[in-house]
PDB file of all heavy atoms in Angstrom:
ATOM      1  N   ASP E   1      50.071 -60.203 -24.542  1.00 98.00           N
ATOM      2  CA  ASP E   1      49.798 -61.307 -23.666  1.00 98.00           C
ATOM      3  C   ASP E   1      48.507 -62.033 -24.198  1.00 98.00           C
ATOM      4  O   ASP E   1      47.408 -61.428 -24.144  1.00 98.00           O
ATOM      5  CB  ASP E   1      49.474 -60.807 -22.222  1.00 98.00           C
ATOM      6  CG  ASP E   1      49.540 -61.875 -21.163  1.00 98.00           C
ATOM      7  OD1 ASP E   1      49.608 -62.979 -21.494  1.00 98.00           O
ATOM      8  OD2 ASP E   1      49.665 -61.534 -19.991  1.00 98.00           O
ATOM      9  N   ALA E   2      48.712 -63.182 -24.851  1.00 98.00           N
ATOM     10  CA  ALA E   2      47.574 -63.800 -25.598  1.00 98.00           C
ATOM     11  C   ALA E   2      46.992 -65.029 -24.761  1.00 98.00           C
ATOM     12  O   ALA E   2      47.750 -65.844 -24.211  1.00 98.00           O
ATOM     13  CB  ALA E   2      48.049 -64.386 -26.927  1.00 98.00           C
ATOM     14  N   ILE E   3      45.670 -65.006 -24.812  1.00 98.00           N
ATOM     15  CA  ILE E   3      44.906 -66.161 -23.978  1.00 98.00           C
ATOM     16  C   ILE E   3      44.362 -67.045 -24.974  1.00 98.00           C
ATOM     17  O   ILE E   3      43.319 -66.698 -25.612  1.00 98.00           O
ATOM     18  CB  ILE E   3      43.972 -65.464 -23.090  1.00 98.00           C
ATOM     19  CG1 ILE E   3      44.532 -64.450 -22.085  1.00 98.00           C
ATOM     20  CG2 ILE E   3      43.146 -66.584 -22.205  1.00 98.00           C
ATOM     21  CD1 ILE E   3      43.653 -63.401 -21.568  1.00 98.00           C
ATOM     22  N   LEU E   4      44.903 -68.167 -25.188  1.00 98.00           N
ATOM     23  CA  LEU E   4      44.557 -69.172 -26.197  1.00 98.00           C
ATOM     24  C   LEU E   4      43.841 -70.407 -25.474  1.00 98.00           C
ATOM     25  O   LEU E   4      43.184 -71.226 -26.228  1.00 98.00           O
ATOM     26  CB  LEU E   4      45.684 -69.658 -27.016  1.00 98.00           C
ATOM     27  CG  LEU E   4      46.661 -68.620 -27.519  1.00 98.00           C
ATOM     28  CD1 LEU E   4      47.710 -69.320 -28.447  1.00 98.00           C
ATOM     29  CD2 LEU E   4      45.903 -67.522 -28.342  1.00 98.00           C
ATOM     30  N   ASN E   5      44.003 -70.536 -24.197  1.00 98.00           N
ATOM     31  CA  ASN E   5      43.612 -71.784 -23.546  1.00 98.00           C
ATOM     32  C   ASN E   5      42.028 -71.744 -23.219  1.00 98.00           C
ATOM     33  O   ASN E   5      41.562 -72.782 -23.177  1.00 98.00           O
ATOM     34  CB  ASN E   5      44.382 -71.820 -22.169  1.00 98.00           C
ATOM     35  CG  ASN E   5      43.891 -73.081 -21.363  1.00 98.00           C
ATOM     36  OD1 ASN E   5      44.135 -74.173 -21.724  1.00 98.00           O
ATOM     37  ND2 ASN E   5      43.276 -72.805 -20.231  1.00 98.00           N
ATOM     38  N   HIS E   6      41.465 -70.618 -22.977  1.00 98.00           N
ATOM     39  CA  HIS E   6      40.104 -70.640 -22.507  1.00 98.00           C
ATOM     40  C   HIS E   6      39.366 -69.401 -22.768  1.00 98.00           C
ATOM     41  O   HIS E   6      39.871 -68.460 -23.284  1.00 98.00           O
ATOM     42  CB  HIS E   6      40.195 -70.867 -20.933  1.00 98.00           C
ATOM     43  CG  HIS E   6      41.087 -69.736 -20.258  1.00 98.00           C
ATOM     44  ND1 HIS E   6      42.329 -69.931 -19.916  1.00 98.00           N
ATOM     45  CD2 HIS E   6      40.692 -68.451 -19.925  1.00 98.00           C
ATOM     46  CE1 HIS E   6      42.889 -68.792 -19.383  1.00 98.00           C
ATOM     47  NE2 HIS E   6      41.839 -67.913 -19.426  1.00 98.00           N
ATOM     48  N   MET E   7      38.091 -69.410 -22.444  1.00 98.00           N
ATOM     49  CA  MET E   7      37.171 -68.314 -22.474  1.00 98.00           C
ATOM     50  C   MET E   7      36.776 -67.977 -20.951  1.00 98.00           C
ATOM     51  O   MET E   7      37.207 -68.762 -19.980  1.00 98.00           O
ATOM     52  CB  MET E   7      36.026 -68.492 -23.314  1.00 98.00           C
ATOM     53  CG  MET E   7      36.439 -68.752 -24.813  1.00 98.00           C
ATOM     54  SD  MET E   7      37.302 -67.360 -25.535  1.00 98.00           S
ATOM     55  CE  MET E   7      36.004 -66.211 -25.905  1.00 98.00           C
ATOM     56  N   CYS E   8      35.961 -67.057 -20.737  1.00 98.00           N
ATOM     57  CA  CYS E   8      35.705 -66.666 -19.297  1.00 98.00           C
ATOM     58  C   CYS E   8      34.859 -67.692 -18.585  1.00 98.00           C
ATOM     59  O   CYS E   8      34.212 -68.447 -19.227  1.00 98.00           O
ATOM     60  CB  CYS E   8      34.952 -65.320 -19.302  1.00 98.00           C
ATOM     61  SG  CYS E   8      33.298 -65.235 -19.902  1.00 98.00           S
ATOM     62  N   ALA E   9      34.917 -67.606 -17.288  1.00 98.00           N
ATOM     63  CA  ALA E   9      34.115 -68.527 -16.407  1.00 98.00           C
ATOM     64  C   ALA E   9      32.750 -67.825 -16.284  1.00 98.00           C
ATOM     65  O   ALA E   9      32.470 -66.824 -16.806  1.00 98.00           O
ATOM     66  CB  ALA E   9      34.795 -68.568 -15.076  1.00 98.00           C
ATOM     67  N   ASP E  10      31.927 -68.648 -15.538  1.00 97.00           N
ATOM     68  CA  ASP E  10      30.524 -68.250 -15.335  1.00 97.00           C
ATOM     69  C   ASP E  10      30.545 -66.854 -14.563  1.00 97.00           C
ATOM     70  O   ASP E  10      31.289 -66.611 -13.623  1.00 97.00           O
ATOM     71  CB  ASP E  10      29.647 -69.155 -14.542  1.00 97.00           C
ATOM     72  CG  ASP E  10      29.526 -70.482 -15.343  1.00 97.00           C
ATOM     73  OD1 ASP E  10      29.699 -70.456 -16.490  1.00 97.00           O
ATOM     74  OD2 ASP E  10      29.239 -71.472 -14.702  1.00 97.00           O
ATOM     75  N   GLN E  11      29.679 -65.858 -15.059  1.00 92.00           N
ATOM     76  CA  GLN E  11      29.441 -64.645 -14.348  1.00 92.00           C
ATOM     77  C   GLN E  11      28.044 -64.364 -14.441  1.00 92.00           C
ATOM     78  O   GLN E  11      27.381 -64.620 -15.432  1.00 92.00           O
ATOM     79  CB  GLN E  11      30.304 -63.541 -15.014  1.00 92.00           C
ATOM     80  CG  GLN E  11      31.741 -63.617 -14.878  1.00 92.00           C
ATOM     81  CD  GLN E  11      32.171 -63.202 -13.552  1.00 92.00           C
ATOM     82  OE1 GLN E  11      31.594 -62.631 -12.817  1.00 92.00           O
ATOM     83  NE2 GLN E  11      33.496 -63.686 -13.128  1.00 92.00           N
ATOM     84  N   PRO E  12      27.480 -63.530 -13.466  1.00 91.00           N
ATOM     85  CA  PRO E  12      26.074 -63.152 -13.509  1.00 91.00           C
ATOM     86  C   PRO E  12      25.980 -62.046 -14.521  1.00 91.00           C
ATOM     87  O   PRO E  12      26.724 -61.128 -14.471  1.00 91.00           O
ATOM     88  CB  PRO E  12      25.831 -62.652 -12.074  1.00 91.00           C
ATOM     89  CG  PRO E  12      27.169 -62.308 -11.425  1.00 91.00           C
ATOM     90  CD  PRO E  12      28.145 -63.285 -12.082  1.00 91.00           C
ATOM     91  N   ASN E  13      25.060 -62.256 -15.497  1.00 91.00           N
ATOM     92  CA  ASN E  13      24.770 -61.246 -16.457  1.00 91.00           C
ATOM     93  C   ASN E  13      26.046 -60.854 -17.215  1.00 91.00           C
ATOM     94  O   ASN E  13      26.478 -59.721 -17.189  1.00 91.00           O
ATOM     95  CB  ASN E  13      24.109 -60.068 -15.990  1.00 91.00           C
ATOM     96  CG  ASN E  13      22.790 -60.368 -15.166  1.00 91.00           C
ATOM     97  OD1 ASN E  13      22.017 -61.139 -15.804  1.00 91.00           O
ATOM     98  ND2 ASN E  13      22.566 -59.809 -13.955  1.00 91.00           N
ATOM     99  N   PRO E  14      26.797 -61.841 -17.858  1.00 97.00           N
ATOM    100  CA  PRO E  14      28.169 -61.579 -18.369  1.00 97.00           C
ATOM    101  C   PRO E  14      28.074 -60.608 -19.548  1.00 97.00           C
ATOM    102  O   PRO E  14      27.192 -60.679 -20.471  1.00 97.00           O
ATOM    103  CB  PRO E  14      28.640 -62.934 -18.830  1.00 97.00           C
ATOM    104  CG  PRO E  14      27.415 -63.697 -19.044  1.00 97.00           C
ATOM    105  CD  PRO E  14      26.444 -63.281 -17.979  1.00 97.00           C
ATOM    106  N   ILE E  15      28.795 -59.623 -19.499  1.00 98.00           N
ATOM    107  CA  ILE E  15      28.993 -58.639 -20.573  1.00 98.00           C
ATOM    108  C   ILE E  15      30.406 -58.193 -20.635  1.00 98.00           C
ATOM    109  O   ILE E  15      31.140 -58.109 -19.632  1.00 98.00           O
ATOM    110  CB  ILE E  15      28.076 -57.347 -20.367  1.00 98.00           C
ATOM    111  CG1 ILE E  15      28.153 -56.424 -21.637  1.00 98.00           C
ATOM    112  CG2 ILE E  15      28.399 -56.554 -19.170  1.00 98.00           C
ATOM    113  CD1 ILE E  15      27.030 -55.410 -21.642  1.00 98.00           C
ATOM    114  N   GLY E  16      30.954 -57.990 -21.884  1.00 98.00           N
ATOM    115  CA  GLY E  16      32.388 -57.692 -22.044  1.00 98.00           C
ATOM    116  C   GLY E  16      32.681 -56.160 -22.049  1.00 98.00           C
ATOM    117  O   GLY E  16      31.795 -55.280 -22.085  1.00 98.00           O
ATOM    118  N   THR E  17      33.997 -55.890 -22.066  1.00 98.00           N
ATOM    119  CA  THR E  17      34.461 -54.471 -22.095  1.00 98.00           C
ATOM    120  C   THR E  17      34.138 -53.772 -23.293  1.00 98.00           C
ATOM    121  O   THR E  17      34.243 -52.543 -23.390  1.00 98.00           O
ATOM    122  CB  THR E  17      35.950 -54.434 -21.794  1.00 98.00           C
ATOM    123  OG1 THR E  17      36.505 -55.465 -22.548  1.00 98.00           O
ATOM    124  CG2 THR E  17      36.278 -54.748 -20.297  1.00 98.00           C
ATOM    125  N   GLY E  18      33.852 -54.536 -24.356  1.00 98.00           N
ATOM    126  CA  GLY E  18      33.336 -53.914 -25.683  1.00 98.00           C
ATOM    127  C   GLY E  18      31.886 -54.119 -25.891  1.00 98.00           C
ATOM    128  O   GLY E  18      31.476 -53.771 -26.928  1.00 98.00           O
ATOM    129  N   GLY E  19      31.166 -54.581 -24.882  1.00 98.00           N
ATOM    130  CA  GLY E  19      29.722 -54.761 -25.073  1.00 98.00           C
ATOM    131  C   GLY E  19      29.254 -56.123 -25.491  1.00 98.00           C
ATOM    132  O   GLY E  19      28.046 -56.385 -25.685  1.00 98.00           O
ATOM    133  N   SER E  20      30.146 -57.009 -25.862  1.00 98.00           N
ATOM    134  CA  SER E  20      29.786 -58.383 -26.212  1.00 98.00           C
ATOM    135  C   SER E  20      29.099 -59.113 -25.064  1.00 98.00           C
ATOM    136  O   SER E  20      29.438 -58.896 -23.919  1.00 98.00           O
ATOM    137  CB  SER E  20      31.029 -59.145 -26.649  1.00 98.00           C
ATOM    138  OG  SER E  20      31.569 -58.639 -27.860  1.00 98.00           O
ATOM    139  N   THR E  21      28.159 -60.008 -25.422  1.00 98.00           N
ATOM    140  CA  THR E  21      27.506 -60.887 -24.442  1.00 98.00           C
ATOM    141  C   THR E  21      27.792 -62.313 -24.745  1.00 98.00           C
ATOM    142  O   THR E  21      28.264 -62.663 -25.788  1.00 98.00           O
ATOM    143  CB  THR E  21      25.987 -60.654 -24.378  1.00 98.00           C
ATOM    144  OG1 THR E  21      25.487 -60.934 -25.721  1.00 98.00           O
ATOM    145  CG2 THR E  21      25.732 -59.221 -24.040  1.00 98.00           C
ATOM    146  N   ALA E  22      27.642 -63.179 -23.727  1.00 98.00           N
ATOM    147  CA  ALA E  22      27.883 -64.613 -23.882  1.00 98.00           C
ATOM    148  C   ALA E  22      27.056 -65.375 -22.852  1.00 98.00           C
ATOM    149  O   ALA E  22      26.466 -64.674 -21.914  1.00 98.00           O
ATOM    150  CB  ALA E  22      29.397 -64.877 -23.681  1.00 98.00           C
ATOM    151  N   ASN E  23      26.995 -66.634 -22.893  1.00 98.00           N
ATOM    152  CA  ASN E  23      26.396 -67.476 -21.946  1.00 98.00           C
ATOM    153  C   ASN E  23      27.338 -68.600 -21.613  1.00 98.00           C
ATOM    154  O   ASN E  23      27.302 -69.701 -22.133  1.00 98.00           O
ATOM    155  CB  ASN E  23      25.100 -68.209 -22.523  1.00 98.00           C
ATOM    156  CG  ASN E  23      24.316 -68.956 -21.347  1.00 98.00           C
ATOM    157  OD1 ASN E  23      24.915 -69.280 -20.330  1.00 98.00           O
ATOM    158  ND2 ASN E  23      23.051 -69.114 -21.542  1.00 98.00           N
ATOM    159  N   PRO E  24      28.431 -68.235 -20.675  1.00 98.00           N
ATOM    160  CA  PRO E  24      29.495 -69.253 -20.427  1.00 98.00           C
ATOM    161  C   PRO E  24      28.872 -70.549 -19.929  1.00 98.00           C
ATOM    162  O   PRO E  24      29.504 -71.616 -20.230  1.00 98.00           O
ATOM    163  CB  PRO E  24      30.310 -68.474 -19.413  1.00 98.00           C
ATOM    164  CG  PRO E  24      30.029 -66.985 -19.634  1.00 98.00           C
ATOM    165  CD  PRO E  24      28.601 -66.989 -20.005  1.00 98.00           C
ATOM    166  N   GLY E  25      27.850 -70.541 -19.134  1.00 97.00           N
ATOM    167  CA  GLY E  25      27.307 -71.780 -18.596  1.00 97.00           C
ATOM    168  C   GLY E  25      26.910 -72.775 -19.601  1.00 97.00           C
ATOM    169  O   GLY E  25      26.912 -73.966 -19.480  1.00 97.00           O
ATOM    170  N   LYS E  26      26.516 -72.213 -20.795  1.00 97.00           N
ATOM    171  CA  LYS E  26      26.052 -73.125 -21.984  1.00 97.00           C
ATOM    172  C   LYS E  26      27.116 -73.079 -23.019  1.00 97.00           C
ATOM    173  O   LYS E  26      26.889 -73.539 -24.134  1.00 97.00           O
ATOM    174  CB  LYS E  26      24.717 -72.681 -22.468  1.00 97.00           C
ATOM    175  CG  LYS E  26      23.559 -72.851 -21.437  1.00 97.00           C
ATOM    176  CD  LYS E  26      22.288 -72.664 -22.106  1.00 97.00           C
ATOM    177  CE  LYS E  26      21.061 -72.899 -21.141  1.00 97.00           C
ATOM    178  NZ  LYS E  26      21.063 -74.216 -20.697  1.00 97.00           N
ATOM    179  N   PHE E  27      28.327 -72.465 -22.681  1.00 98.00           N
ATOM    180  CA  PHE E  27      29.486 -72.522 -23.640  1.00 98.00           C
ATOM    181  C   PHE E  27      29.166 -71.815 -24.975  1.00 98.00           C
ATOM    182  O   PHE E  27      29.563 -72.174 -26.049  1.00 98.00           O
ATOM    183  CB  PHE E  27      29.899 -73.929 -23.961  1.00 98.00           C
ATOM    184  CG  PHE E  27      30.385 -74.734 -22.676  1.00 98.00           C
ATOM    185  CD1 PHE E  27      29.482 -75.419 -21.939  1.00 98.00           C
ATOM    186  CD2 PHE E  27      31.690 -74.625 -22.290  1.00 98.00           C
ATOM    187  CE1 PHE E  27      29.905 -76.170 -20.838  1.00 98.00           C
ATOM    188  CE2 PHE E  27      32.134 -75.327 -21.249  1.00 98.00           C
ATOM    189  CZ  PHE E  27      31.172 -76.057 -20.377  1.00 98.00           C
ATOM    190  N   GLN E  28      28.400 -70.774 -24.837  1.00 98.00           N
ATOM    191  CA  GLN E  28      28.011 -69.938 -26.007  1.00 98.00           C
ATOM    192  C   GLN E  28      28.690 -68.573 -25.897  1.00 98.00           C
ATOM    193  O   GLN E  28      28.436 -67.721 -25.025  1.00 98.00           O
ATOM    194  CB  GLN E  28      26.437 -69.632 -25.995  1.00 98.00           C
ATOM    195  CG  GLN E  28      25.598 -70.990 -26.234  1.00 98.00           C
ATOM    196  CD  GLN E  28      25.651 -71.541 -27.630  1.00 98.00           C
ATOM    197  OE1 GLN E  28      26.342 -70.930 -28.575  1.00 98.00           O
ATOM    198  NE2 GLN E  28      25.159 -72.685 -27.888  1.00 98.00           N
ATOM    199  N   PHE E  29      29.614 -68.372 -26.945  1.00 98.00           N
ATOM    200  CA  PHE E  29      30.294 -67.091 -27.057  1.00 98.00           C
ATOM    201  C   PHE E  29      30.041 -66.643 -28.445  1.00 98.00           C
ATOM    202  O   PHE E  29      30.746 -66.858 -29.274  1.00 98.00           O
ATOM    203  CB  PHE E  29      31.796 -67.263 -26.712  1.00 98.00           C
ATOM    204  CG  PHE E  29      32.106 -67.674 -25.318  1.00 98.00           C
ATOM    205  CD1 PHE E  29      32.021 -69.023 -25.001  1.00 98.00           C
ATOM    206  CD2 PHE E  29      32.380 -66.692 -24.324  1.00 98.00           C
ATOM    207  CE1 PHE E  29      32.309 -69.463 -23.641  1.00 98.00           C
ATOM    208  CE2 PHE E  29      32.623 -67.011 -23.047  1.00 98.00           C
ATOM    209  CZ  PHE E  29      32.566 -68.389 -22.708  1.00 98.00           C
ATOM    210  N   TRP E  30      28.964 -65.803 -28.599  1.00 98.00           N
ATOM    211  CA  TRP E  30      28.489 -65.430 -29.859  1.00 98.00           C
ATOM    212  C   TRP E  30      29.366 -64.539 -30.670  1.00 98.00           C
ATOM    213  O   TRP E  30      29.303 -64.552 -31.934  1.00 98.00           O
ATOM    214  CB  TRP E  30      27.019 -64.805 -29.709  1.00 98.00           C
ATOM    215  CG  TRP E  30      26.011 -65.799 -28.975  1.00 98.00           C
ATOM    216  CD1 TRP E  30      25.608 -66.977 -29.528  1.00 98.00           C
ATOM    217  CD2 TRP E  30      25.563 -65.682 -27.769  1.00 98.00           C
ATOM    218  NE1 TRP E  30      24.758 -67.552 -28.622  1.00 98.00           N
ATOM    219  CE2 TRP E  30      24.702 -66.762 -27.537  1.00 98.00           C
ATOM    220  CE3 TRP E  30      25.564 -64.635 -26.747  1.00 98.00           C
ATOM    221  CZ2 TRP E  30      23.900 -66.972 -26.406  1.00 98.00           C
ATOM    222  CZ3 TRP E  30      24.842 -64.824 -25.619  1.00 98.00           C
ATOM    223  CH2 TRP E  30      23.991 -65.953 -25.390  1.00 98.00           C
ATOM    224  N   ALA E  31      30.160 -63.810 -30.006  1.00 98.00           N
ATOM    225  CA  ALA E  31      30.977 -62.734 -30.690  1.00 98.00           C
ATOM    226  C   ALA E  31      32.071 -63.440 -31.478  1.00 98.00           C
ATOM    227  O   ALA E  31      32.782 -62.740 -32.282  1.00 98.00           O
ATOM    228  CB  ALA E  31      31.456 -61.683 -29.769  1.00 98.00           C
ATOM    229  N   VAL E  32      32.411 -64.743 -31.155  1.00 98.00           N
ATOM    230  CA  VAL E  32      33.543 -65.401 -31.878  1.00 98.00           C
ATOM    231  C   VAL E  32      33.289 -65.936 -33.191  1.00 98.00           C
ATOM    232  O   VAL E  32      33.871 -65.465 -34.249  1.00 98.00           O
ATOM    233  CB  VAL E  32      34.266 -66.467 -30.892  1.00 98.00           C
ATOM    234  CG1 VAL E  32      35.436 -67.064 -31.715  1.00 98.00           C
ATOM    235  CG2 VAL E  32      34.660 -65.840 -29.636  1.00 98.00           C
ATOM    236  N   PRO E  33      32.331 -66.819 -33.469  1.00 98.00           N
ATOM    237  CA  PRO E  33      31.413 -67.487 -32.352  1.00 98.00           C
ATOM    238  C   PRO E  33      31.948 -68.891 -32.057  1.00 98.00           C
ATOM    239  O   PRO E  33      32.634 -69.543 -32.885  1.00 98.00           O
ATOM    240  CB  PRO E  33      30.117 -67.679 -33.154  1.00 98.00           C
ATOM    241  CG  PRO E  33      30.663 -67.976 -34.608  1.00 98.00           C
ATOM    242  CD  PRO E  33      31.750 -67.113 -34.871  1.00 98.00           C
ATOM    243  N   TYR E  34      31.731 -69.233 -30.782  1.00 98.00           N
ATOM    244  CA  TYR E  34      32.070 -70.470 -30.141  1.00 98.00           C
ATOM    245  C   TYR E  34      30.790 -71.088 -29.702  1.00 98.00           C
ATOM    246  O   TYR E  34      29.966 -70.296 -29.118  1.00 98.00           O
ATOM    247  CB  TYR E  34      33.059 -70.509 -29.028  1.00 98.00           C
ATOM    248  CG  TYR E  34      34.521 -70.270 -29.381  1.00 98.00           C
ATOM    249  CD1 TYR E  34      35.378 -69.444 -28.621  1.00 98.00           C
ATOM    250  CD2 TYR E  34      35.074 -70.872 -30.535  1.00 98.00           C
ATOM    251  CE1 TYR E  34      36.691 -69.280 -28.970  1.00 98.00           C
ATOM    252  CE2 TYR E  34      36.452 -70.692 -30.890  1.00 98.00           C
ATOM    253  CZ  TYR E  34      37.256 -69.880 -30.094  1.00 98.00           C
ATOM    254  OH  TYR E  34      38.557 -69.718 -30.405  1.00 98.00           O
ATOM    255  N   GLY E  35      30.763 -72.397 -29.740  1.00 98.00           N
ATOM    256  CA  GLY E  35      29.607 -73.246 -29.122  1.00 98.00           C
ATOM    257  C   GLY E  35      30.173 -74.391 -28.323  1.00 98.00           C
ATOM    258  O   GLY E  35      31.383 -74.512 -28.283  1.00 98.00           O
ATOM    259  N   PRO E  36      29.324 -75.169 -27.730  1.00 98.00           N
ATOM    260  CA  PRO E  36      29.812 -76.329 -26.883  1.00 98.00           C
ATOM    261  C   PRO E  36      30.796 -77.168 -27.599  1.00 98.00           C
ATOM    262  O   PRO E  36      31.686 -77.773 -27.043  1.00 98.00           O
ATOM    263  CB  PRO E  36      28.454 -77.041 -26.605  1.00 98.00           C
ATOM    264  CG  PRO E  36      27.424 -75.981 -26.666  1.00 98.00           C
ATOM    265  CD  PRO E  36      27.794 -75.069 -27.742  1.00 98.00           C
TER     266      PRO E  36
END
C-alpha cells in the first residue's frame, strides 16, 4: 500500500516510527529530504 500523494499533517512534536523528525508546518521532511 503505497502513499505517493502526501506526507503527514501537522502534529505536536512530530516523530516517526523509525525515529525520523520533521516540521510539517514548514513543509520540512529532512529524512527524504523534502522542502517547501
Side-chain angles (χ1 to χ4, degrees):
D1 199 344
I3 304 157
L4 313 184
N5 176 66
H6 57 262
M7 301 300 282
C8 69
D10 294 342
Q11 291 286 340
N13 303 314
I15 187 168
T17 44
S20 296
T21 58
N23 188 340
K26 293 189 180 297
F27 300 89
Q28 296 287 355
F29 293 86
W30 300 294
V32 180
Y34 283 144

